[in-house]
Structure formats: C-alpha cells, structure tokens
C-alpha cells in the first residue's frame, strides 16, 4: 500500500533516493513547508545554512566540481530565487551539475503579483538545462528524478525546480520514480566506426599534432584515457583553465595552459601545428584570440559530447561527438605508436624563454614586495601539489591557476566562462564537503572576498577547513592591469580602501595571520596548513603586479606579451 505524504516530504525522500547527502540553502516564507520536512531528515540530508542564496549556488558548484556528483541548493521565492541567478548562469556556462529548488507562491495565485512572486521559470529557462514548475504534489517524485537525470547526463549543467507552496503542502500517494530516458533527449551520442577510423587516420598522418585538453575530460572521468591517447601517438598538449588538472602538471607531454594568460609555448604552437585536436573544450574567445588567424594552417578534430559546440566558434574538419571516455579509447585502439621528438623539442625554446623572463622572476624574486606568483608556488609545494585549488576571479585566479601544480583529478575550482567575482569563498566551502579528505586552498583578492564576505559565517558555523589565502594588493587588480596597459594608467575607481581582515576573521573565530615580508612567508604557510579548521592568510602583495604572458584583446594567439611596457 502506498503511503500518503506531503509534497515536501516527497521531495525529501526523492532527494535521498538520488543520493543527495549535502544541501546548501537559505529558508524563507514560500519554502517553509519544505524546510519543515527537512527537519525530520537531518541525519540523512546535511543542510548547510549559507548567509546568502548566491553563496548556496557557488557552494553547490564547488561540491559538484570536486566530487563529480550533483550539487543541490534550496532557496525561497522572489528575492531568494533571484539571488540564485548568477550561480545558475555560472554553472550553465561551466557545465556544472546542480539542482536548484526554489519556493514559489501557491499555484492559484500565480500571475497576480502576490507577495514575493517572480517568474522563476521565465528568468532561468535561458540559463539552465531544464526549468520546471511543480504545481502538484503528484509530480514531485517524477520532477526530481528527471531533474537529476538531466543535470548529470550528457554535458552536465544546472536544473531549476520552482516548487509552488500548494505542491509542498498537498498530499500524494508517494511512489519513488526513476527517470533514465527522455524522448528526444540524447545525452550521449555515439559516433560511427567510420568517424573513429577517420580520426585515427588523421592523427596517424600528422607530423605536428597538438591536443587541447578541456574540462570535458574531467567531467567524463577520462583522465586515464586521455593519457593513453597522448602517449600512444606522442602528442604534446595544452590545457584550458578548467581542464588544468585533467593532465598532471608534471607529465612530459603537458606544455601548459592555453589562453590569454596561459603559457607561451602551447599558444604559439597552436599556429604552427598541422593537426589541432580539441577534447572537451569549446574554443572560448579567451583561448582562441583572433579567430581570423587561429590555427588556419591546421586541420582540426573536435571531440565533444555537445553537438552545439561543433563549428560554433572554430570550423572543424572532423567532429567526434560522444563521451570522450569512450571515444578517446576507441581512437587510441587504432593509433600507431609514434615518436614526435623533433616536434616536441620545438616547444622547448618558448618554454625556456617564458621561464627565464616571466616564471622565475614571479616565483623566486630576490627583493621587493611579495609577489602573487611566489605565494601560490610556495603553497603548492607545501601541499605536495595534491591540494584542491579554488580561486575567485581576477589576478588571483590567473596567478593561482598558472603557478599551482596538479597531480590529482578534479583539483581546479574556478569560475571560467562567467568570471563571477565572489565565487571563490562559497565554492571553497562546498569543496570541503565534496572532498573532505583533501586540503582546499582558496586564493582570493581583496575585491572578490568582499563580495561574499558574509560566508565567513558559514565557515564559522560549519568549521569548514578552508585555507583562505588573501592576495591583498589594495586594488581591483585585473582591471587595474588593463587600465595600465590600455587606458593610459587612468585608475578609475580601482584602488580599494580595505578593512582589517584579521580582525574580521577573528570576529568569526577564524585563525588568521598577515604576512608583509617574504621572510615570514614560509613559516606562515606552515602555520596555516598545520592549523586544524579554517585559516585566513593575508599576504600584502605588490600593488602593481601584472599577470604575464598576455594575449592583448583582439591579438593573435601567438602574439603574447612577455612584459608590460
């Protein structure tokens, strides 16, 4: 006999059935029946009370990115739901699987401009994989199962459930639902044997192949398949910002980061290779630079699970559409074992030039103020290159991603396509719940930290062991760099008057220390890493430290600047 329960209780049981164990949220009027039901499921569903709904979104993203599971967040209607929008958009462009449950007024009042009514579906439909309004308790189990299936399958992304109050309080004869098929939705296309054979043939014929590694490798859990693919044909690779930990930093075929602030060698050689092989990346404008001159000399193979990405930005010669864990393995089985020693050696002069002119001065300075690069490098070394890197957005992000090193998968949590300042602190909280066995290091600037500073309250309550490294230059650093380079040094509203961050941390019961001189840095890093629980390490860094190399806006991918004049 079926049990008759409320829609809110059906939601709880459906979440448990989907394997949810952590929820990030903030209660309010329209979602109160759901929170009342949650009270009886506290042993199964660990609810993290954030201090702002945007924090819940980014925390769910951080959880999802390091765990490989679907993140879950709850908010109320109206302003609560609207505060989730930035995080939903961020998750959509970065392919992060989260399910967002928003409260809504009763179905009979929809369209009347009742208190805290907002058209959540109309707002979120363009920035989510699926947005659905639950108007009946009978639809709860089906909607939740469908939501998680869509969020995690194919190219992952955010799903929004708008949960009307009457659907929460109404009664239903509950029966678990399991959605694993949707007509017209084909999340994992399977390429033909001919396509696979053609890809292998193009690679076997190539003398100067270059592989571009994107986050799709991480999302597809295809790290081993990627390495076998690269090693079989002896192909050098560059990684996108979100794909950095898909290939260990120290792998002999890893030539570094692609894009505007990436490494010199893989960017320059993009315009010298004869075959460009993109795996799970979308040819973002920050990677390609000027599209009119991008890899014009090369044939291009694009491995991706999302057909809409094919030929969107860069015209390809062959599309291999499918799950890269399967497609890479199928192509690798047909590859001839090769050695491209001369081609790989041609990367060396560019790597050596960047090391001499940019990297060594950034990580091993001998005088002057602290530099962001040396702070990042020292912490990466102190953690054995095994920590999770979380960043906010700006110079802290670029220095963090450039000078941190990666040995483990799912080690980079950053806002890529949306570039959301304020992402870092709540995302780091989520990462500590998604990977509790790992050290989570957050690099954040003074500007981004203040955007979600209230989440220090969440850290305090949960004792989330986030190691916060504040790179404080008293500027909105990335904008300042652009103003210096392209706006005649007119620093329009980028200098920051900052509060006493140590005192703020102390008010939240978080251990803190400030470093001004590099002679103090190593000891402070050790103190941070050996302190149980959260820690704020504020580093007073050079105000006019610039991220280099840099592809100027509109320039070709091989026209990188190694210095600022």
């Amino acid at each position: 006999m079926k049990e008759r329960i409320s829609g809110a209780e059906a939601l709880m049981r459906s979440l448990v059935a989907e394997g949810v164990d952590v929820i990030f949220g903030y209660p309010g009027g329209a979602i109160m029946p759901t929170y009342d039901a949650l009270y009886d499921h506290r042993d199964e569903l660990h609810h993290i009370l954030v201090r702002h709904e945007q924090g819940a979104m980014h925390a769910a993203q951080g959880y999802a990115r390091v765990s490989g599971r679907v993140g879950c967040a709850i908010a109320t209607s109206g302003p609560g739901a609207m505060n989730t929008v930035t995080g939903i958009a961020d998750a959509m462009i970065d392919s992060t699987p989260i399910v967002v449950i928003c409260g809504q007024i009763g179905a009979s009042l929809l369209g009347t401009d009742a208190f805290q009514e907002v058209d959540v579906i109309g707002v979120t439909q363009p920035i989510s994989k699926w947005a659905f309004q639950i108007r009946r308790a009978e639809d709860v189990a089906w909607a939740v199962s469908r939501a998680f299936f869509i969020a995690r399958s194919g190219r992952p992304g955010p799903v929004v459930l708008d949960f009307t109050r009457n659907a929460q309080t109404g009664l239903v004869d509950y029966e678990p639902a399991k959605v694993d098929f949707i007509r017209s939705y084909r999340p994992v296309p399977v390429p033909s044997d001919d396509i696979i054979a053609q890809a292998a043939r193009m690679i076997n014929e190539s003398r100067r192949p270059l592989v571009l590694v994107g986050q799709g490798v991480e999302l597809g859990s295809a790290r081993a398949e990627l390495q076998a693919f690269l090693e079989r044909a002896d192909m050098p690779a560059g990684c996108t910002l979100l794909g950095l930990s898909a290939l260990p930093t120290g792998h002999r075929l890893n030539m570094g980061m692609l894009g505007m602030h990436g490494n010199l060698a893989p960017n320059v050689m993009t315009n010298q290779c004869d075959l460009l092989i993109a795996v799970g990346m979308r040819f973002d404008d920050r990677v390609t630079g000027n599209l009119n001159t991008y890899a014009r000399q090369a044939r291009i193979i694009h491995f991706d699970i999302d057909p809409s990405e094919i030929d969107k930005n860069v015209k390809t010669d062959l599309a291999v559409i499918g799950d890269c864990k399967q497609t890479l393995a199928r192509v690798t089985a047909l590859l001839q074992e090769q050695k491209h020693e001369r081609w790989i050696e041609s990367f060396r002069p560019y790597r050596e030039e960047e090391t001499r002119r940019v990297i060594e001065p950034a990580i091993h300075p001998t005088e002057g103020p602290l530099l962001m690069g040396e702070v990042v490098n020292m912490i990466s070394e102190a953690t054995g290159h095994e920590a999770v890197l979380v960043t906010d957005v700006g110079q802290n992000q670029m220095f963090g991603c450039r000078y941190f090193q990666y040995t483990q998968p799912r080690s980079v949590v950053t806002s890529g396509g949306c570039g959301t300042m304020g992402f870092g602190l709540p995302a780091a909280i989520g990462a500590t719940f998604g990977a509790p066995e790992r050290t989570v290091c957050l690099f954040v600037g003074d500007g981004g930290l203040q955007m979600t500073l209230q989440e220090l309250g969440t850290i305090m309550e949960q004792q989330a062991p986030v190691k916060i490294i504040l790179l404080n230059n008293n500027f909105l650093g990335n904008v300042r760099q652009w103003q210096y380079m392209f706006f005649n040094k007119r620093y329009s509203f980028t200098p920051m008057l900052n509060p006493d961050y140590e005192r703020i941390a102390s008010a939240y019961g978080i251990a803190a220390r400030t470093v001004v001189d590099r002679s103090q840095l190593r000891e402070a890093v050790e103190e941070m890493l050996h302190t149980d629980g959260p820690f704020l390490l504020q580093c007073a860094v050079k105000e006019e430290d610039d991220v280099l190399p840099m592809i100027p806006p509109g320039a070709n991918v091989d026209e990188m600047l190694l210095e600022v004049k």
Side-chain angles (χ1 to χ4, degrees):
M1 183 177 178
K2 298 176 184 176
E3 185 179 1
R4 195 160 180 80
I5 59 175
S6 71
E9 175 64 20
L11 173 66
M12 297 300 111
R13 298 189 187 187
S14 298
L15 292 176
V16 171
E18 291 296 331
V20 175
D21 57 0
V22 178
I23 300 173
F24 305 91
Y26 201 95
I31 199 68
M32 282 179 67
T34 290
Y35 269 87
D36 186 64
L38 181 58
Y39 191 83
D40 294 326
H41 290 268
R42 288 169 293 169
D43 292 339
E44 300 166 285
L45 299 169
H46 185 190
H47 179 271
I48 310 301
L49 177 64
V50 296
R51 293 336 190 230
H52 190 281
E53 291 88 353
Q54 183 176 345
M57 297 302 104
H58 298 326
Q61 288 176 272
Y63 173 91
R65 294 269 280 273
V66 299
S67 69
R69 303 171 68 186
V70 179
C72 187
I74 301 180
T76 193
S77 65
M82 290 303 96
N83 285 340
T84 70
V85 170
T86 297
I88 294 168
D90 195 290
M92 184 65 176
I93 199 166
D94 283 352
S95 305
T96 305
I98 60 173
V99 170
V100 183
I101 300 160
C102 297
Q104 183 57 278
I105 63 171
S108 64
L109 293 174
L110 290 170
T112 67
D113 291 334
F115 179 64
Q116 293 192 332
E117 179 189 3
V118 171
D119 183 1
V120 172
I121 301 302
V123 171
T124 62
Q125 201 163 39
I127 55 171
S128 62
K129 282 190 74 176
W130 186 52
F132 179 76
Q133 188 172 75
I134 305 175
R135 298 189 180 187
R136 307 184 312 155
E138 292 93 325
D139 295 331
V140 170
W142 166 85
V144 170
S145 183
R146 182 182 171 107
F148 277 82
F149 173 63
I150 292 174
R152 69 166 65 96
S153 62
R155 179 180 181 173
V159 170
V160 178
L161 295 177
D162 193 34
F163 200 8
T164 61
R165 189 178 178 92
N166 63 285
Q168 297 175 57
T169 58
L171 298 178
V172 60
D173 293 328
Y174 176 74
E175 185 174 359
K178 184 61 177 177
V179 175
D180 55 13
F181 172 79
I182 299 173
R183 190 174 63 181
S184 79
Y185 174 55
R186 189 183 177 202
V188 185
V190 179
S192 68
D193 290 341
D194 288 344
I195 293 292
I196 297 296
Q198 189 175 345
R201 184 163 57 251
M202 291 172 67
I203 294 169
N204 288 333
E205 293 171 354
S206 171
R207 294 295 171 260
R208 301 188 309 279
L210 177 61
V211 180
L212 311 183
V213 178
Q215 188 192 198
V217 174
E218 294 273 51
L219 297 174
S221 300
R223 207 173 190 240
E225 287 76 10
L226 172 73
Q227 290 190 44
F229 175 72
L230 296 176
E231 291 166 3
R232 177 72 178 173
D234 201 32
M235 296 181 289
C239 299
T240 67
L241 184 72
L242 297 183
L244 283 171
S245 64
L247 186 63
T249 305
H251 194 286
R252 68 177 186 84
L253 294 172
N254 190 342
M255 300 298 159
M257 187 169 85
L258 301 162
M260 177 175 281
H261 289 297
N263 294 108
L264 181 63
N267 281 294
V268 169
M269 302 309 265
T270 295
N271 279 1
Q272 295 185 27
C273 65
D274 65 7
L275 180 64
L276 197 65
I277 306 162
V279 184
M281 55 88 71
R282 57 189 181 85
F283 289 109
D284 176 75
D285 60 289
R286 289 297 174 103
V287 166
T288 64
N290 183 2
L291 280 171
N292 293 323
T293 60
Y294 183 77
R296 288 296 182 182
Q297 81 294 339
R299 294 195 295 173
I300 297 175
I301 302 174
H302 193 171
F303 288 77
D304 209 287
I305 201 167
D306 185 356
S308 71
E309 290 297 343
I310 305 301
D311 296 335
K312 186 176 78 174
N313 296 323
V314 173
K315 179 67 177 176
T316 59
D317 294 276
L318 181 68
V320 184
I321 305 174
D323 183 341
C324 63
K325 189 174 183 67
Q326 279 78 51
T327 56
L328 287 174
R330 289 175 64 189
V331 172
T332 301
L334 301 178
L335 292 180
Q336 299 168 0
E337 188 169 354
Q338 297 197 50
K339 294 294 181 184
H340 290 112
E341 295 174 355
R342 181 176 296 180
W343 167 235
I344 293 171
E345 184 64 23
S346 69
F347 285 72
R348 182 186 296 275
Y350 297 104
R351 301 182 78 179
E352 291 179 345
E353 182 181 14
E354 183 183 354
T355 298
R356 175 175 53 84
R357 295 177 59 185
V358 178
I359 296 175
E360 277 300 316
I363 66 175
H364 294 133
T366 57
E367 58 185 7
L370 272 173
L371 300 182
M372 290 184 246
E374 68 175 311
V375 175
V376 174
N377 179 69
M378 184 175 291
I379 293 172
S380 181
E381 289 182 345
T383 57
H385 310 308
E386 293 185 346
V388 173
L389 169 75
V390 184
T391 81
D392 203 78
V393 168
Q395 288 186 317
N396 63 88
Q397 178 184 35
M398 293 297 103
F399 276 110
C401 290
R402 277 183 56 85
Y403 295 116
F404 217 71
Q405 295 187 41
Y406 315 97
T407 58
Q408 306 299 316
R410 296 189 175 274
S411 293
V412 179
V413 180
T414 192
S415 174
C418 218
T420 304
M421 286 184 68
F423 172 89
L425 188 61
I429 295 170
T432 65
F433 287 97
E437 74 287 355
R438 300 185 65 185
T439 299
V440 175
C441 294
L442 164 66
F443 291 90
V444 61
D446 41 310
L449 180 61
Q450 292 187 78
M451 286 197 169
T452 49
L453 187 67
Q454 71 279 349
E455 297 308 330
L456 290 176
T458 307
I459 291 178
M460 174 184 66
E461 184 170 339
Q462 300 295 329
Q463 281 299 293
V466 181
K467 307 304 181 184
I468 306 166
I469 301 95
L470 170 58
L471 302 173
N472 190 347
N473 58 8
N474 296 301
F475 262 106
L476 297 176
N478 209 45
V479 182
R480 180 212 57 77
Q481 180 172 335
W482 281 56
Q483 289 172 333
Y484 180 91
M485 296 177 70
F486 309 119
F487 291 88
N488 298 316
K489 305 179 185 177
R490 290 159 57 89
Y491 297 148
S492 179
F493 301 100
T494 47
M496 297 279 289
L497 179 62
N498 280 310
D500 187 329
Y501 290 107
E502 268 202 76
R503 291 175 67 185
I504 291 174
S506 177
Y508 284 101
I510 297 172
R513 180 170 175 176
T514 297
V515 172
V516 176
D517 189 89
R518 65 175 44 88
S519 64
Q520 308 165 323
L521 182 59
R522 188 172 300 278
E523 179 190 347
V525 168
E526 291 298 321
E527 179 184 350
M528 175 184 72
L529 295 177
H530 287 92
T531 297
D532 291 335
F535 194 99
L536 172 66
L537 175 60
Q538 176 177 217
C539 298
V541 296
K542 182 180 178 181
E543 286 192 350
E544 297 191 348
D545 196 2
D546 296 312
V547 186
L548 292 166
M550 180 180 184
I551 303 171
N556 300 335
V557 72
D558 55 358
E559 295 178 332
M560 299 195 82
L561 301 177
L562 293 181
E563 60 184 1
V564 175
K565 297 180 180 179

